């Protein structure tokens, strides 16, 4: 299964509309991918906190509409990273969607751990409250977002719910790039899953983004990794590898349920 990670830069000099057009052209130039993944808040620009209200959009807004049209025209699964979603109740959330090859939504996730360290996200956005895992032709898929990488309990829950592939769009700063590399590898290895992690590149509002989008297999091997700049990374994975790795080295099978109740 071929996957394309589109590591987008969101320079301050570019408007959202210009960026949507530019990224549409990039997407249309991708050949042979079955799944395309974009970073967190690439169209709005994660660090444009003062513009969150005006950049917020609905699920019929410009980012989703373009991605849905392109997914259907190319016949691919497209994880569009995330948008600032304007909910009907006036609240904003950091919302990720995986579109199917007909352009319809197959998975929606609203970021649970909104980020507050050198970030206004936690004060501006409302945290999500559901953690779906969806069964697709290539496996059981979950999507989480950026800071969620840091929370092992969330990953344990995804693993318990049967996830084989976890997609992680991010706007992870270069200052903590080694945390990004370490955590994406560790989560794949400890849960024997594919981690498909697409980060943003470039800089926004004086913050340098880390790039280094990467795909880690269920054995903890990094099978693709970008450099720091805007780029498209293509990688071929075999989703059957999840079961093969678990059969060969049954760590997941040896896990005990609820360690805190075992009286250890
Ligand atoms: O956890 C980190 O270091 C980065 C998190 C982040 O940038 C985000 O959640 O958008």
């Amino acid at each position: 299964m071929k996957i394309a990670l589109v590591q987008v830069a969101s320079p301050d000099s570019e408007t959202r509309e210009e960026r949507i057009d530019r990224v549409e052209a990039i997407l249309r130039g991708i050949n042979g991918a079955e799944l395309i993944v974009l970073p967190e808040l690439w169209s709005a620009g994660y660090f444009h906190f003062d513009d969150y209200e005006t950049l917020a959009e609905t699920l019929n807004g410009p980012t989703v509409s373009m991605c849905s049209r392109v997914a259907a025209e190319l016949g691919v699964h497209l994880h569009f990273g995330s948008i600032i979603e304007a909910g009907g109740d006036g609240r904003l959330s950091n919302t990720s969607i995986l579109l199917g090859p007909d352009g319809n939504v197959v998975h929606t996730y609203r970021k649970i751990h909104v980020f507050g360290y050198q970030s206004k996200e936690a004060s501006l956005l409302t945290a999500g409250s559901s953690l779906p895992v969806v069964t697709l032709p290539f496996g059981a898929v979950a999507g989480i977002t950026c800071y969620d990488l840091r929370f092992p309990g969330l990953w344990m829950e995804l693993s318990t719910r049967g996830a084989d592939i976890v997609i992680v769009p991010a706007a992870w700063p270069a200052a903590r790039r080694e945390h990004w590399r370490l955590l994406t590898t560790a989560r794949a290895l400890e849960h024997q899953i594919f981690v498909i992690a697409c980060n943003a590149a470039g800089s926004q509002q004086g913050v340098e983004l880390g790039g280094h989008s990467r795909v880690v297999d269920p054995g903890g091997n990094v099978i693709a990794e970008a450099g720091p700049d805007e780029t498209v990374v293509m990688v071929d994975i075999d989703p059957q590898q999840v079961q093969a790795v678990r059969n060969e080295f049954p760590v997941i099978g040896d896990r005990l349920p609820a360690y805190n109740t075992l009286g250890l």
Side-chain angles (χ1 to χ4, degrees):
M1 172 191 178
K2 288 198 170 45
I3 302 174
L5 306 185
V6 186
Q7 181 170 283
V8 178
S10 304
D12 298 337
S13 56
E14 187 177 53
T15 67
R16 177 180 61 181
E17 281 59 37
E18 287 167 345
R19 190 150 48 246
I20 290 173
D21 289 347
R22 190 170 63 77
V23 168
E24 177 167 358
I26 296 173
L27 295 175
R28 289 184 183 283
I30 294 172
N31 284 319
E34 289 155 73
L35 170 66
I36 300 176
V37 184
L38 288 156
E40 179 185 23
L41 298 187
W42 61 269
S43 63
Y46 178 86
F47 286 93
H48 287 263
F49 304 118
D50 294 343
D51 300 324
Y52 270 23
E53 289 267 355
T54 47
L55 292 169
E57 50 182 299
T58 68
L59 300 186
N60 297 316
T63 309
V64 188
S65 301
M66 180 280 279
C67 289
S68 169
R69 194 174 62 247
V70 171
E73 285 175 26
L74 299 183
V76 294
H77 282 87
L78 173 54
H79 190 292
F80 72 56
S82 68
I83 57 165
I84 302 161
E85 181 192 2
D89 54 4
R91 293 183 182 184
L92 306 180
S93 52
N94 187 336
T95 302
S96 292
I97 285 184
L98 175 59
L99 300 157
D102 55 3
N104 290 324
V105 174
V106 297
H107 179 278
T108 305
Y109 170 75
R110 295 181 176 85
K111 189 175 182 182
I112 289 176
H113 298 98
V114 284
F115 192 48
Y117 174 74
Q118 298 178 347
S119 166
K120 295 187 188 168
E121 181 188 5
S123 58
L124 295 170
L125 304 189
T126 301
S129 56
S130 79
L131 194 58
V133 176
V134 63
T135 302
L136 296 175
F138 42 86
V141 178
I144 58 147
T145 307
C146 202
Y147 189 40
D148 290 328
L149 248 187
R150 292 190 183 269
F151 299 91
L154 177 71
W155 287 79
M156 186 63 84
E157 188 55 32
L158 289 174
S159 177
T160 304
R161 293 183 188 194
D164 300 319
I165 297 176
V166 179
I167 299 173
V168 190
W172 195 285
R176 294 182 297 282
R177 183 183 286 138
E178 288 312 309
H179 298 188
W180 161 260
R181 300 177 83 228
L182 180 67
L183 289 167
T184 46
T185 298
R187 299 301 177 230
L189 180 62
E190 68 193 350
H191 300 294
Q192 301 184 306
I193 52 172
F194 279 101
V195 172
I196 298 172
C198 187
N199 198 15
S203 62
Q204 301 168 22
Q205 303 289 297
V207 179
E208 188 190 346
L209 280 304
H212 284 258
S213 298
R214 57 210 316 262
V215 175
V216 191
D217 78 10
N221 306 297
V222 180
I223 54 173
E225 180 161 347
D229 301 325
E230 180 169 291
T231 188
V232 177
V233 179
M234 297 289 296
V235 60
D236 209 349
I237 71 163
D238 175 6
Q240 307 291 335
Q241 199 191 343
V242 172
Q243 205 46 57
V245 167
R246 290 178 185 177
N247 290 345
E248 165 69 18
F249 187 23
V251 179
I252 302 296
D254 287 342
R255 217 177 241 168
L256 303 177
Y259 287 83
N260 60 337
T261 65
L262 296 177
L264 300 171

